[in-house]
């Protein structure tokens, strides 16, 4: 069950890091949506490894193939299978890690849970699993953009202790985000972040960071209280991305230090609807979108696999020193930007379809 996400736009991802391939099956995508590989490939290109010196050098082209559910560039409403073949597998890099669980990786917990492990790499815990999410997320985004004009843009807002000033969330676009390899739209901060990541990489170490995300033109009324509140689903979606450690909606933890008199988002008339003057709520109140941009942040830890020697124990409990081999990301946030956007799209599409069903069922 745990590889499936969503109620109405339901995705199941498959594949291990060093197996034959990875991908997703989408069940519940509405029919008659224009779709081909070119709608999906750009987001996979932004996620792929070896895209800059800031990322792992594992060289995967990550070309997606649509195996079913689409004919003549139009969705049929039947399951859409999306597949990416793995090409650059190097299982030998993981020989040592078969006997020594990497500190803070998933080797130990997977072994305890399943009593068997994928022969190399992190298996399903590897970031390669997220290929399927990004491919499915691109399909969700196509629907959201066509039907609602929804725009989702994420960017790197911090690397380690370097925090960038916030861009204009009303106008930021992916082109601005992609101007730097680190995917931070503020150029001076981007430069510092890149230098810091390169220094950590040369030292054999790793760094964490924060990704911020805005979803614009989300219609008011999406979200299913009480257990499937929009922010609750976003939190689940974001915290299912490997290496995430925190989620904040709107003012987040900083909001706890404010007073109600400044934190309240006062209503104003915006066209035919009510809007708010400020957006500390992050576009969601009572778990339901209020028509303002949905804004959230996701914290990522420094990736676990580092080449510095670490004193640890092997699976038998014997003292050892692990110097990890293999090609690894010194900081995951530049590549995680499209993953955050994709998971946001998957939450929004599911809630949009649920609301549409309710509207169709309502007797007026
Ligand atoms: C884009 C991306 C790339 C990643 N690359 C690596 C990596 O090269 N090395 C590593 O140890 N972890 C990497 N991770 C994180 C691991 O997959 C993750 O830490 C591990 O599965 C344990 O899960 P947890 O951190 O969520 O507890 C990456 C995560 C993402 C999102």
């Amino acid at each position: 069950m745990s590889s499936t996400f969503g109620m109405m736009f339901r995705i199941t991802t498959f594949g291990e890091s060093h197996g034959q391939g990875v991908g997703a099956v989408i069940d519940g995508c509405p029919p008659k949506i224009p779709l081909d590989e070119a709608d999906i490939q750009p987001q996979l290109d932004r996620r792929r490894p070896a895209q800059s010196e800031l990322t792992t050098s594992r060289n995967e082209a990550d070309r997606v193939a649509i195996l079913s559910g689409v004919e003549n560039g139009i969705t049929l409403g039947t399951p859409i299978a999306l597949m990416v073949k793995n090409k650059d597998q190097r299982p030998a890099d993981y020989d040592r890690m078969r006997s020594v669980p990497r500190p803070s990786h998933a080797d130990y917990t997977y072994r305890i849970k399943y009593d068997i492990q994928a022969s190399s790499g992190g298996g399903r815990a590897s970031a390669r699993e997220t290929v399927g999410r990004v491919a499915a997320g691109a399909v969700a985004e196509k629907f959201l953009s066509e039907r609602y004009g929804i725009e989702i843009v994420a960017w790197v807002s911090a690397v380690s202790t370097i925090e960038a000033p916030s861009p204009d969330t009303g106008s930021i676009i992916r082109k601005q985000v992609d101007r730097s390899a680190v995917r931070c739209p503020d150029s001076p901060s981007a430069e510092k972040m890149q230098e810091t990541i390169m220094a950590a990489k040369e030292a054999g170490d790793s760094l964490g960071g924060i990704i911020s995300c805005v979803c614009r033109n989300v219609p008011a009324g999406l979200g299913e209280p009480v257990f499937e509140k929009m922010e609750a689903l976003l939190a689940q979606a974001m915290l299912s991305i490997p290496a995430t450690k925190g989620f904040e909606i709107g003012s987040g933890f900083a909001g706890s230090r404010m007073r109600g008199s400044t934190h309240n988002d006062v209503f104003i008339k915006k066209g035919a609807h009510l809007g708010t003057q400020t957006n500390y709520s992050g576009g969601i109140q009572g778990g339901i979108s209020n028509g303002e941009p949905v804004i959230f942040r996701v914290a990522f830890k420094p990736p676990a696999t580092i080449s510095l020697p670490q004193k640890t124990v092997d699976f038998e409990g014997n003292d050892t020193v692990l110097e990890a081999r293999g090609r690894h990301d010194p900081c995951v946030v530049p590549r995680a930007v499209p993953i955050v956007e994709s998971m946001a799209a998957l939450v929004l599409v599911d809630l949009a379809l649920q609301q549409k069903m309710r509207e169709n069922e309502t007797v007026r």
Side-chain angles (χ1 to χ4, degrees):
M1 286 299 286
S2 56
S3 288
T4 299
F5 184 78
M7 276 247 303
M8 297 195 64
F9 190 101
R10 182 175 276 259
I11 72 153
T12 300
T13 69
F14 63 86
E16 280 79 32
S17 169
H18 290 253
Q20 289 194 36
V22 283
V25 176
I26 306 169
D27 202 0
C29 179
K32 298 187 186 174
I33 313 292
L35 184 75
D36 62 27
E37 279 90 351
D39 292 310
I40 302 169
Q41 197 57 51
Q43 280 293 74
L44 287 176
D45 291 345
R46 296 174 84 220
R47 197 221 70 95
R48 71 181 275 268
Q51 56 183 283
S52 80
E53 57 184 3
L54 302 178
T55 69
T56 168
S57 59
R58 177 171 172 170
N59 195 5
E60 296 285 355
D62 283 353
R63 306 301 301 176
V64 68
I66 300 177
L67 303 183
S68 67
V70 179
E71 242 178 52
N72 303 318
I74 305 283
T75 59
L76 297 170
T78 52
I80 301 175
L82 305 165
M83 166 93 179
V84 164
K85 286 204 169 145
N86 289 335
K87 296 225 161 83
D88 190 12
Q89 301 104 315
R90 275 196 212 161
D93 280 349
Y94 293 88
D95 283 352
R96 172 95 171 105
M97 291 174 273
R98 267 194 274 280
S99 55
V100 184
R102 283 169 290 174
S104 285
H105 211 289
D107 306 331
Y108 177 69
T109 49
Y110 264 65
R111 177 78 69 95
I112 292 290
K113 185 170 182 65
Y114 298 105
D115 195 29
I116 184 170
Q117 237 180 309
S119 59
S120 55
R124 290 286 290 161
S126 157
R128 269 210 80 60
E129 179 275 330
T130 64
V131 164
R133 302 167 184 238
V134 171
V139 179
E141 268 201 72
K142 183 81 196 266
F143 173 78
L144 293 170
S145 150
E146 295 247 323
R147 293 286 163 94
Y148 301 92
I150 290 177
E151 298 168 341
I152 303 171
V153 183
W155 64 94
V156 171
S157 48
V159 164
S160 185
T161 56
I162 304 162
E163 279 204 42
S166 174
D168 176 0
T169 54
S171 65
I172 180 92
I173 55 171
R174 288 184 188 166
K175 209 168 152 195
Q176 289 166 285
V177 173
D178 288 353
R179 273 205 300 248
S180 70
V182 73
R183 295 210 162 85
C184 171
D186 180 66
S187 304
S189 309
E191 232 169 86
K192 276 191 229 154
M193 288 172 179
Q194 279 173 221
E195 283 165 18
T196 311
I197 295 174
M198 286 311 293
K201 183 179 173 180
E202 271 149 39
D205 216 337
S206 65
L207 296 175
I210 297 174
I211 292 180
S212 298
C213 184
V214 60
C215 310
R216 294 188 290 258
N217 305 327
V218 176
L222 306 192
E224 298 294 317
V226 289
F227 293 114
E228 300 202 336
K229 291 176 168 180
M230 184 182 278
E231 71 266 49
L233 289 190
L234 283 172
Q236 190 204 338
M238 297 306 147
L239 293 177
S240 75
I241 301 173
T244 49
K245 282 288 171 218
F247 174 82
E248 290 186 320
I249 183 84
S251 58
F253 281 63
S256 66
R257 296 191 287 273
M258 295 169 73
R259 286 170 175 257
S261 50
T262 40
H263 190 266
N264 285 350
D265 294 318
V266 171
F267 286 108
I268 50 172
K269 195 147 180 348
K270 287 190 181 172
H273 301 281
L274 294 191
T276 62
Q277 216 159 33
T278 50
N279 189 15
Y280 293 115
S281 304
I284 306 173
Q285 288 158 340
I288 304 170
S289 56
N290 65 359
E292 296 295 326
V294 172
I295 298 184
F296 61 87
R297 285 157 44 101
V298 189
F300 288 79
K301 73 182 190 185
T305 317
I306 54 175
S307 50
L308 282 173
Q310 298 175 89
K311 272 195 195 169
T312 182
V313 297
D314 64 17
F315 277 110
E316 309 302 321
N318 304 309
D319 288 341
T320 188
V321 174
L322 180 69
E323 288 175 53
R325 289 183 57 199
R327 300 153 295 171
H328 294 282
D329 291 286
C331 178
V332 307
V333 286
R335 292 181 57 212
V337 162
I339 307 174
V340 166
E341 292 167 342
S342 300
M343 291 311 295
L346 291 169
V347 169
L348 294 180
V349 76
D350 209 46
L351 293 177
L353 291 175
Q354 288 186 57
Q355 180 64 6
K356 197 160 170 36
M357 188 175 69
R358 176 178 291 103
E359 285 165 3
N360 289 345
E361 282 175 354
T362 305
V363 181
R364 292 184 195 277

